[in-house]
Structures are given as structure tokens and as C-alpha cells.
């Protein structure tokens, strides 16, 4: 039998307990003693440099599930969502949780939309914010509009635009909108070969576009220079380069294999 001191096995109290474990304990306590558990969750929901940034968001989310504490949870989540000192993905999680709390829906959705429109953010961040907004109740059309803007923005990296088009193609009301953009990507010889191939694959996965996707996949594989992404086979871009091998017009010889 293990010797105990004040009900705690000797030695165990010397082991540090992570903030995540303590927060989960507070969540469980709220089931037995609502006020005491909620008080502890509120403390964990305050930003603390000594704990991982995601813990306060998780604590505020848990607090939202405690009867009578939704307003407080919404206030805490909003504070986290607008805190520019936090990593952007932590803020995004807080905004998403806020959008799913009674009384915080509109504010959370607005914060997600703001992130999706914020040109100072990385394009991947903007696309993820729009993708989440689509999943928020009542915000599908709003999120889809932002995804269309991202897919059509030629200043963004092609993989981000492709991601936006892919998400649209998976949404029944916007399947055609997304498919049109996937077709454009797959058919555009100025894009790198892997982008064209990925677009064709995504198109083939869209309901009703299997044959068109297969056609564009074959086209991408036979008309693009694998060794020089973005160069169409048969171009003269590098055929005059010293020592260029015989083969495709760009001088890479890729169509020999």
C-alpha cells in the first residue's frame, strides 16, 4: 500500500502537473460543483505567460458549457480573439469558439471574416479563416464569398488559391463555382506542373467532374515540362542553352522518359 500524506500519495505531489491537466480537472469539477469549477476555468481562461497559449482558449470554451456562464465565456473568448500578442491560429480558434457561443455568434463570425480579409496575414491564414467561417451556422455564403475572392486573387500563391477553389468545389451550392476555377488552374500552362495536376485531381473528385478531371490530368502530364515547372513542352525557352540535351523544346529532355 502506498503511504499517503493528506490524501495524496507521498512523492506524487512533487511531480509538476501540466496546465492542460489542471484545466481538464477544473472542467470535471464544474460537473460536480458548478461555481467552484467555473471559477477555476475563469482563472485558466486569463492569458498567462507561464502556460501554453491554447489553454486559455480551451478553458473559455469549457466555461461556455457551464450553465449560466455563457456571457462570461463569450467575453473571455473575444478578449483572446482580438489579442494581437497571441499567435494568429490561437486567435482564430478563439473567434471560432466565440461564434458558437450564445450571444457571441455575430462577433465571432465578424472576427473570422476580418482575418480572411486581412491582407497583412499570410494567405494560408486567410484561407483557413474563410474555411472555418463556412462551417459557422448561418455563415456559409459569407465564407464562400471570401473563398471566391481568395481563389481569384492572382497576387496570392497558387496553392492557396487552389485550396480555396477545392473547398468551394466540395460545397453543393458552390460546386460549379469551385469546379470552374479548378478547370482554369489545370488548363493554365503558366502554372507549375504540380499545381495543374493537383487541380485536375481535385476536379476529378468533385461530383460530376470525374471525366473532365481525368482529361485535364492527362493534358497536364503531357503538355507540361516536369523538369522545368511552368514551362510548356516544346517551348524554346532554353533550347539554345549550352549543353542542353535533346528532347523537349525547353531543353530539359523530359519527354525522353
Amino acid at each position: 500500500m502506498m503511504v499517503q500524506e493528506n490524501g495524496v500519495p507521498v512523492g506524487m505531489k512533487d511531480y509538476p502537473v501540466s496546465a492542460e491537466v489542471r484545466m481538464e480537472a477544473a472542467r470535471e469539477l464544474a460537473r460536480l460543483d458548478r461555481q467552484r469549477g467555473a471559477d477555476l476555468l475563469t482563472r485558466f481562461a486569463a492569458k498567462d505567460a507561464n502556460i501554453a497559449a491554447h489553454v486559455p482558449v480551451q478553458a473559455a470554451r469549457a466555461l461556455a458549457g457551464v450553465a449560466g456562464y455563457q456571457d462570461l465565456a463569450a467575453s473571455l473568448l473575444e478578449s483572446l480573439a482580438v489579442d494581437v500578442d497571441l499567435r494568429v491560429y490561437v486567435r482564430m480558434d478563439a473567434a471560432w469558439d466565440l461564434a458558437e457561443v450564445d450571444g457571441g455568434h455575430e462577433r465571432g463570425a465578424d472576427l473570422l471574416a476580418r482575418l480572411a480579409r486581412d491582407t497583412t496575414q499570410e494567405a494560408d491564414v486567410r484561407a483557413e479563416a474563410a474555411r472555418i467561417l463556412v462551417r459557422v451556422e448561418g455563415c456559409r455564403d459569407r465564407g464562400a464569398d471570401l473563398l471566391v475572392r481568395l481563389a481569384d486573387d492572382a497576387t496570392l500563391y497558387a496553392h492557396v488559391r487552389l485550396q480555396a477553389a477545392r473547398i468551394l468545389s466540395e460545397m453543393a451550392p458552390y460546386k460549379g463555382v469551385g469546379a470552374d476555377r479548378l478547370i482554369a488552374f489545370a488548363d493554365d500552362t503558366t502554372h507549375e506542373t504540380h499545381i495543374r495536376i493537383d487541380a485536375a485531381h481535385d476536379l476529378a473528385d468533385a461530383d460530376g467532374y470525374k471525366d473532365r478531371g481525368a482529361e485535364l490530368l492527362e493534358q497536364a502530364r503531357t503538355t507540361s515540362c516536369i523538369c522545368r515547372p511552368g514551362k510548356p513542352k516544346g517551348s524554346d525557352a532554353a533550347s539554345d542553352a549550352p549543353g542542353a540535351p535533346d528532347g523537349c523544346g525547353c531543353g530539359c529532355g523530359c519527354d525522353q522518359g
Side-chain angles (χ1 to χ4, degrees):
M1 180 175 293
M2 184 173 290
V3 178
Q4 298 189 355
E5 179 181 343
N6 296 325
V8 178
V10 173
M12 286 193 66
K13 63 181 180 179
D14 296 327
Y15 287 93
V17 180
S18 71
E20 288 91 341
V21 171
R22 292 158 56 204
M23 188 275 293
E24 287 296 333
R27 186 205 299 265
E28 292 303 315
L29 178 61
R31 300 175 187 271
L32 305 173
D33 186 333
R34 183 173 62 183
Q35 181 173 346
R36 189 177 178 191
D39 287 345
L40 288 170
L41 287 171
T42 301
R43 288 170 55 188
F44 278 115
K47 189 176 72 170
D48 186 338
N50 295 315
I51 64 176
H54 66 276
V55 172
V57 176
Q58 292 178 343
R61 181 189 307 146
L63 185 64
V66 180
Y69 288 87
Q70 284 77 18
D71 289 345
L72 177 57
S75 177
L76 290 167
L77 285 167
E78 181 173 357
S79 296
L80 294 166
V82 300
D83 189 339
V84 295
D85 291 330
L86 295 176
R87 291 185 297 110
V88 68
Y89 282 103
V90 173
R91 293 162 52 200
M92 195 184 303
D93 277 345
W96 188 0
D97 287 332
L98 177 60
E100 296 185 344
V101 174
D102 289 342
H105 179 271
E106 288 299 324
R107 180 57 173 157
D110 286 346
L111 290 171
L112 287 170
R114 182 187 299 179
L115 277 175
R117 292 192 303 265
D118 189 350
T119 56
T120 67
Q121 297 292 342
E122 294 291 337
D124 289 324
V125 170
R126 298 174 62 194
E128 180 64 8
R131 183 191 69 81
I132 291 173
L133 187 59
V134 164
R135 299 173 63 180
V136 173
E137 184 178 358
C139 295
R140 183 185 62 184
D141 292 344
R142 190 177 181 185
D145 179 64
L146 289 166
L147 287 169
V148 170
R149 295 185 191 185
L150 291 169
D152 291 344
D153 189 343
T155 67
L156 301 181
Y157 289 120
H159 77 274
V160 174
R161 299 174 61 198
L162 179 59
Q163 177 187 356
R166 179 189 306 122
I167 296 170
L168 287 165
S169 73
E170 295 170 349
M171 299 168 58
Y174 295 93
K175 180 175 63 177
V177 174
D180 287 345
R181 283 152 180 80
L182 291 174
I183 290 171
F185 276 115
D187 199 35
D188 188 344
T189 58
T190 66
H191 284 307
E192 294 187 353
T193 303
H194 72 91
I195 292 293
R196 297 182 63 197
I197 289 175
D198 285 349
H201 274 302
D202 291 336
L203 182 65
D205 288 339
D207 187 34
Y209 290 88
K210 181 177 180 180
D211 291 342
R212 181 61 172 143
E215 175 188 338
L216 287 168
L217 180 59
E218 180 63 20
Q219 177 178 308
R221 286 173 170 167
T222 57
T223 62
S224 293
C225 169
I226 302 300
C227 299
R228 295 192 176 207
K231 298 288 187 183
K233 285 187 178 181
S235 73
D236 295 325
S239 58
D240 295 329
D246 295 331
C248 98
C250 74
C252 74
C254 67
D255 65 351
Q256 295 181 11

